[in-house]
Amino acid sequence: ARRQRQMCIRDRYMSRKHVQIDVMDGNCEYRLVEISSKNIVQLNHTPIKRNDIILLQPGDILTLGKTDVVFEIFEEEATQLI
């Protein structure tokens, strides 16, 4: 079963559906997919292209609109996904 979570950020420079983070079952990998945003998405201050799939690492900085989000994995959360 796939669980979905949404995060709401108030930033007028973000699209309604800006990016998606997929959890790859069994190995706790997190993949970022840029989905049809009208504005540039950056990973660690480097722009990514639409439909790029990026493996996220703890401490990565996502710039969505004008908002920076730091990606972190908490052990308790990761063990619940296995």
Side-chain angles (χ1 to χ4, degrees):
R2 183 175 168 168
R3 292 189 295 168
Q4 293 184 354
R5 295 187 180 168
Q6 295 182 7
M7 182 169 66
C8 181
I9 299 172
R10 290 183 178 233
D11 182 331
R12 67 185 188 134
Y13 297 98
M14 287 180 64
S15 303
R16 184 170 179 253
K17 292 185 178 181
H18 210 84
V19 296
Q20 175 177 311
I21 298 175
D22 294 327
V23 180
M24 308 312 293
D25 290 331
N27 55 5
C28 292
E29 287 185 350
Y30 296 80
R31 293 186 183 169
L32 173 76
V33 181
E34 198 276 357
I35 51 172
S36 69
S37 67
K38 295 177 183 175
N39 299 304
I40 295 172
V41 176
Q42 294 184 28
L43 177 66
N44 299 320
H45 308 294
T46 301
I48 63 172
K49 297 176 186 166
R50 181 174 298 174
N51 298 319
D52 275 358
I53 299 173
I54 309 287
L55 184 62
L56 291 173
Q57 301 295 322
D60 279 346
I61 300 170
L62 302 172
T63 304
L64 310 168
K66 295 203 178 224
T67 302
D68 286 342
V69 177
V70 179
F71 177 77
E72 293 293 344
I73 301 171
F74 296 96
E75 191 170 325
E76 178 181 315
E77 180 71 17
T79 57
Q80 291 176 6
L81 297 172
I82 297 175

